[in-house]
Amino acid sequence: MTDPIDAHVRLDTHPIHPSAATAVLTGAQARIALMALEAADWTVVAENVLVLARIDHEEPYWAQDATKHLTAVGVTVEITPRLQEAIDEEWTWSNYPMPWCTRSEIREVSNEAQKIHDDIRHGQLLIHAHAHDGHTTVAVGTYLGRGGKSVYLHGEDHLRQVADTFNSPAPALLAFEKVHAAEMRPGPAPMTDTERAAVEARAVFDLTAAKPEPSRPEPETVPAYLADAGDHDALLDAFLDAHGDWERWRTWSDETTHAIHESQTLRIERVHETSAHETAWTVAAYETPVSDRMWVLTASAATPAPVLEDLLNHLADGEGWDTAIGAPVDEKMVTAATQPLSKAGWKHTVDGRRIRWTSPAGDAGIQFDAFTTQHPSQNLATWTVWAGADPDRPAWTLTASPHTPSSLLADLSEILVHGTGTHSAQAGGRELRKKCAVTSPTGQTVTGSLAVSRRR
């Protein structure tokens, strides 16, 4: 076991720029901790005070990483509650261009972009020229002291990559000018807002001054299907408190709660700890307390609060539970379930056995699978409600079996069309892997490396 040394590090969020982190060092051997943090790209801004300000908004993660390394050498580290909250927060970049990447892969690519940013900031990568290719910023530069290797850069902030390399500046500049002659400008591009914020965070500041609470963007009003998931447990608690004909049942495990109607023919299962895309809610109806299910509906953990509220309100009304199992799922039932979508002009398409209604923006929809109605007793997912940039990788889903009441499905259609909710903005966007291809100025497709090794 490593002997402790006389050094204490207090890690906190930045008093003005909440995405950044600060380290305050005390103790006779504080220099040891300072050298370790400097090596991890923390910037000294005052005596025994350092700041970590990155362009990928991953400061909490790297602050935790610094904690592991410092404690391993015997330094005492304290993490403030608000920084710990940021470390524990699960978030992802909105509209990330490579959605197939895992969270760790996204962080790796973002870290590679951070290294490029740091090389430019420390004068190790000299930018000769930049341009805008119609989508993002591109640039050409040369590493100093590395045998003159030149690089073509594509993207901004956490999305910047080395898209091509050259042995010297001359061929790099020629290739860059060939593609971007009209838009080519000398030197580096103007700083982005993210880069400017990082510079400001690294400026000297007074830690004794009052620390204002980080300003949070006001939630914006959005269609219900784009709203935040909110607190699902609180929704269930409020539902049970308001409806005495429902009773809460805890299983042997605290991971699941059941809510059962007094008739014993309608039941809700709520699984508390699930990932965003896993099933967190199951609603099932029975003809009698001991019969098989008539219909079943599931919802993933990321289902927006307004959609769940609408579902619970429908269950509280007590209508449509006794859908006849023997009744065929015909065109009349499908029309009744989707009438709000048709009236609102949602796009109607037929693809083999599947019928889909998609929002005008293409970011939500309902799908009906006619094949599953041939096996109604199996309670297959006949209806799928989804939202997100891609229906094959939705942000959330809700599924329902063949005999789910048309009135319930119509209510869900109505909330998708006319319902609203709130969405709290998250910080920035994230990046990649799976071989993230970009086009070099020579016309070649180049994949960005995910090597984690330092270039210094």
Side-chain angles (χ1 to χ4, degrees):
M1 181 175 179
T2 303
D3 294 331
I5 64 175
D6 186 10
H8 181 277
V9 177
R10 185 177 189 270
L11 299 179
D12 196 359
T13 56
H14 195 285
I16 301 173
H17 298 272
S19 67
T22 64
V24 179
L25 282 52
T26 55
Q29 295 176 291
R31 182 65 184 171
I32 296 175
L34 186 145
M35 294 172 63
L37 290 173
E38 276 193 300
D41 289 328
W42 291 66
T43 301
V44 177
V45 297
E47 184 177 0
N48 285 339
V49 179
L50 299 92
V51 166
L52 179 65
R54 298 171 59 93
I55 49 84
D56 61 358
H57 300 297
E58 293 282 6
E59 291 93 341
Y61 172 83
W62 292 106
Q64 185 180 41
D65 184 73
T67 299
K68 296 176 183 177
H69 288 85
L70 290 170
T71 54
V73 298
V75 175
T76 302
V77 181
E78 172 193 357
I79 300 176
T80 65
R82 62 179 178 179
L83 178 57
Q84 187 62 55
E85 181 181 357
I87 291 172
D88 295 337
E89 181 183 10
E90 294 184 6
W91 66 281
T92 187
W93 292 102
S94 58
N95 301 319
Y96 191 71
M98 269 79 43
W100 53 81
C101 297
T102 66
R103 185 68 182 81
S104 61
E105 290 170 339
I106 288 172
R107 185 177 288 119
E108 287 182 31
V109 176
S110 297
N111 195 42
E112 289 300 308
Q114 180 69 42
K115 293 175 187 176
I116 296 171
H117 169 80
D118 291 340
D119 287 339
I120 296 172
R121 182 167 67 91
H122 295 310
Q124 297 173 356
L125 174 55
L126 176 65
I127 301 300
H128 305 302
H130 71 278
H132 197 278
D133 68 355
H135 302 284
T136 188
T137 299
V138 292
V140 60
T142 299
Y143 279 97
L144 306 180
R146 298 189 185 182
K149 183 183 77 170
S150 297
V151 292
Y152 166 66
L153 303 176
H154 181 278
E156 298 176 351
D157 298 332
H158 63 285
L159 300 180
R160 183 156 47 190
Q161 292 180 295
V162 173
D164 207 350
T165 60
F166 303 84
N167 292 328
S168 64
L173 283 165
L174 286 173
F176 192 82
E177 184 176 11
K178 182 178 180 180
V179 178
H180 304 291
E183 299 82 17
M184 189 171 171
R185 298 291 183 272
M191 285 193 295
T192 65
D193 290 342
T194 300
E195 289 173 328
R196 192 174 296 108
V199 171
E200 293 172 355
R202 286 189 290 264
V204 178
F205 58 87
D206 183 5
L207 283 176
T208 64
K211 297 183 180 181
E213 286 297 317
S215 59
R216 295 184 180 273
E218 287 295 323
E220 59 177 329
T221 301
V222 295
Y225 56 79
L226 296 179
D228 293 334
D231 188 338
H232 283 194
D233 290 336
L235 285 176
L236 180 59
D237 291 342
F239 171 76
L240 294 174
D241 290 343
H243 301 93
D245 51 347
W246 287 80
E247 187 173 354
R248 180 195 306 270
W249 288 78
R250 291 295 267 191
T251 64
W252 60 272
S253 169
D254 289 337
E255 297 176 356
T256 305
T257 295
H258 289 93
I260 303 177
H261 188 259
E262 60 184 9
S263 67
Q264 300 286 307
T265 59
L266 193 63
R267 303 167 194 174
I268 300 172
E269 180 186 78
R270 161 79 179 128
V271 181
H272 300 284
E273 299 296 334
T274 59
S275 64
H277 297 91
E278 292 179 336
T279 298
W281 295 79
T282 301
V283 179
Y286 304 80
E287 188 172 8
T288 71
V290 294
S291 66
D292 293 332
R293 289 175 173 178
M294 292 194 299
W295 56 266
V296 60
L297 177 149
T298 68
S300 63
T303 303
V307 176
L308 279 176
E309 286 179 316
D310 182 75
L311 170 62
L312 292 173
N313 287 338
H314 183 93
L315 299 179
D317 290 340
E319 297 179 359
W321 300 357
D322 56 349
T323 302
I325 294 180
V329 181
D330 54 18
E331 183 178 354
K332 181 179 179 181
M333 295 176 64
V334 174
T335 300
T338 59
Q339 189 175 31
L341 309 177
S342 301
K343 285 186 176 180
W346 282 38
K347 185 179 179 182
H348 181 206
T349 57
V350 179
D351 179 14
R353 73 190 207 190
R354 297 180 178 88
I355 306 173
R356 180 177 289 176
W357 293 260
T358 310
S359 67
D363 53 359
I366 292 183
Q367 179 176 280
F368 173 76
D369 187 343
F371 175 79
T372 61
T373 63
Q374 299 176 25
H375 309 279
S377 62
Q378 297 180 20
N379 282 320
L380 302 174
T382 299
W383 297 91
T384 302
V385 184
W386 60 271
D390 186 343
D392 294 325
R393 286 183 290 270
W396 62 269
T397 55
L398 183 152
T399 67
S401 63
H403 291 294
T404 302
S406 298
S407 58
L408 189 157
L409 295 168
D411 274 0
L412 290 173
S413 297
E414 186 75 22
I415 196 70
L416 293 184
V417 171
H418 299 295
T420 59
T422 59
H423 173 69
S424 300
Q426 298 272 349
R430 302 276 172 180
E431 269 240 35
L432 86 111
R433 164 90 181 186
K434 182 84 172 182
K435 296 256 181 180
C436 319
V438 295
T439 303
S440 75
T442 58
Q444 298 173 320
T445 298
V446 183
T447 56
S449 170
L450 289 180
V452 183
S453 59
R454 277 253 182 240
R455 296 199 213 186
R456 301 204 213 304

